[in-house]
Amino acid sequence: MKAAYINQTGPASVIRIGDLPEPRIQAGQVLVRVESVSVNPIDIYIRSGAVKAELPDPYIIGCDLCGVIEAVGEGTSRFKVGDRVWGSNQGLSGRQGTSAEFCAVEEKWLYPLPTNVNAATAAAGALVGITAHLGLFLHAGLTSGEVLFVNGGTGGVGSSVVQFAKAAGATVITTAGSAHKAEECLSIGADHVIQYQTENVAARLADITQTTGPINVWFETLRNPSLDLAVSCMAKRGRIILMAGRDARPEFPVGPFYVKDLRMMGFAMFNASPEEQQLAAMEINQWMSAGKFIPRISRILSLSRAADAHELQEANTLHGAGTLAGKIVLNITDEQ
């Protein structure tokens, strides 16, 4: 089978495209004929070696996938051959990744694909959608009528947060880097958008919250957050969610934080149990099917361009290139 893989960590140029043996499924696994995968920041961290992990050799890159069940292993019961599925959480904890024509996946990490959702859309929304849902509902407990702020409303996680929070009945405030991106944020449900390149974010937040009331949930996506700003905008017993910034060491305003009875929670999607992720996926399915969650796709490339995809993701994630307004998707079926 064709696959994008590495034999050692390093720059995007270490990614190779070639033939590898088709995986053999074990008990509890199914074999997925992969149609689409997406590229995430965690993929570049693992490939580069920034996140230390024990990797098989060769290691197939990628966490997300969407495809068709080709075979089922002993002890599986949720799917049958021919079912279309999507999932994430691969390429982690010793598991092989997804950027190949076939992938052996434990069925607990897979979810049925709604009939009206295509493979690229499901792959693009997999990791970012589950991440956004876990942060908003499992950890922050967002409820209807609350005010939410998220940085980067056109990013993978940020755009998912905007759509999920709006679907849940929240008032949504976000940021964007241009007038065009601001319009895109409004089109997916944001109530207020701050253009951070030309507007003072702190001043605009102060103005907006005069109308909306203070922020109940601050969902932080920036690698270097300003906790002084976040805390100053929060309502009493508000919740701050952290899911980015592995090396960040921001100043922390202890006094203002505790006198407001605030909570701050960090989380990583891959720490969530299969049951927690499945609950998130089932609601995501409902929203995708109803058109309330449309994962944003910025580029669709073939598997043979996996290294280009990693370079593009790295430029945006680490160097602020600003050339993406959504996910990068690799269409595996283009290689067949």
Side-chain angles (χ1 to χ4, degrees):
M1 67 174 184
K2 286 286 189 296
Y5 63 93
I6 63 174
N7 298 111
Q8 61 183 22
T9 57
S13 59
V14 303
I15 297 174
R16 301 178 63 186
I17 307 296
D19 289 311
L20 293 178
E22 185 178 309
R24 294 183 177 180
I25 53 176
Q26 307 297 317
Q29 292 183 330
V30 299
L31 184 67
V32 179
R33 176 165 48 83
V34 182
E35 296 177 329
S36 296
V37 303
S38 65
V39 180
N40 297 286
I42 186 63
D43 301 331
I44 67 172
Y45 297 144
I46 292 173
R47 182 264 303 153
S48 69
V51 170
K52 304 301 180 185
E54 292 292 329
L55 302 177
D57 184 13
Y59 169 70
I60 299 171
I61 59 175
C63 293
D64 297 340
L65 82 164
C66 184
V68 181
I69 301 292
E70 190 83 0
V72 296
E74 181 182 350
T76 62
S77 60
R78 293 176 53 223
F79 302 108
K80 65 182 184 301
V81 172
D83 285 348
R84 301 189 70 218
V85 295
W86 65 275
S88 188
N89 228 47
Q90 302 308 300
L92 305 166
S93 303
R95 294 185 286 275
Q96 272 288 14
T98 58
S99 298
E101 291 178 328
F102 295 95
C103 186
V105 185
E106 294 175 78
E107 70 167 0
K108 65 185 178 182
W109 300 118
L110 291 172
Y111 321 108
L113 181 71
T115 57
N116 62 338
V117 178
N118 64 42
T121 296
L127 183 145
V128 295
I130 293 174
T131 297
H133 196 284
L134 292 171
L136 285 175
F137 304 110
L138 177 66
H139 295 290
L142 180 73
T143 59
S144 179
E146 291 194 305
V147 179
L148 172 132
F149 172 83
V150 58
N151 268 308
T154 60
V157 173
S159 62
S160 302
V161 169
V162 169
Q163 293 177 77
F164 293 174
K166 194 63 179 178
T171 296
V172 180
I173 309 168
T174 190
T175 64
S178 68
H180 175 68
K181 289 185 176 181
E183 287 298 323
E184 292 183 355
C185 291
L186 292 170
S187 73
I188 62 172
D191 296 287
H192 304 275
V193 184
I194 303 168
Q195 295 185 44
Y196 63 83
Q197 298 278 21
T198 58
E199 296 181 296
N200 182 295
V201 175
R204 286 282 288 121
L205 273 174
D207 180 55
I208 291 167
T209 53
Q210 287 291 317
T211 302
T212 65
I215 294 165
N216 303 107
V217 175
W218 181 291
F219 200 116
E220 187 56 79
T221 62
L222 296 183
R223 295 177 66 245
N224 292 293
S226 171
L227 296 179
D228 282 307
L229 175 59
V231 169
S232 70
C233 297
M234 299 299 292
K236 286 185 179 179
R237 299 198 174 180
R239 293 85 74 200
I240 300 170
I241 299 295
L242 300 177
M243 44 68 66
R246 289 174 177 269
D247 300 321
R249 296 291 186 275
E251 292 187 7
F252 184 72
V254 173
F257 181 86
Y258 81 75
V259 298
K260 287 186 175 182
D261 286 3
L262 299 183
R263 305 289 185 270
M264 183 159 57
M265 294 155 281
F267 81 100
M269 181 271 269
F270 48 79
N271 288 332
S273 69
E275 293 76 19
E276 289 168 335
Q277 295 199 37
Q278 189 171 126
L279 285 173
M282 292 304 98
E283 189 159 34
I284 290 169
N285 269 349
Q286 293 176 23
W287 286 337
M288 283 198 297
S289 184
K292 294 181 178 180
F293 175 43
I294 303 174
R296 305 184 73 256
I297 298 174
S298 186
R299 302 283 197 284
I300 297 180
L301 304 174
S302 63
L303 178 65
S304 61
R305 296 189 61 191
D308 294 337
H310 269 234
E311 288 181 350
L312 181 58
Q313 185 68 58
E314 195 164 276
N316 282 267
T317 300
L318 300 181
H319 307 300
T323 54
L324 289 177
K327 300 294 296 179
I328 305 169
V329 171
L330 300 179
N331 267 353
I332 310 302
T333 50
D334 288 349
E335 306 297 322
Q336 298 175 6

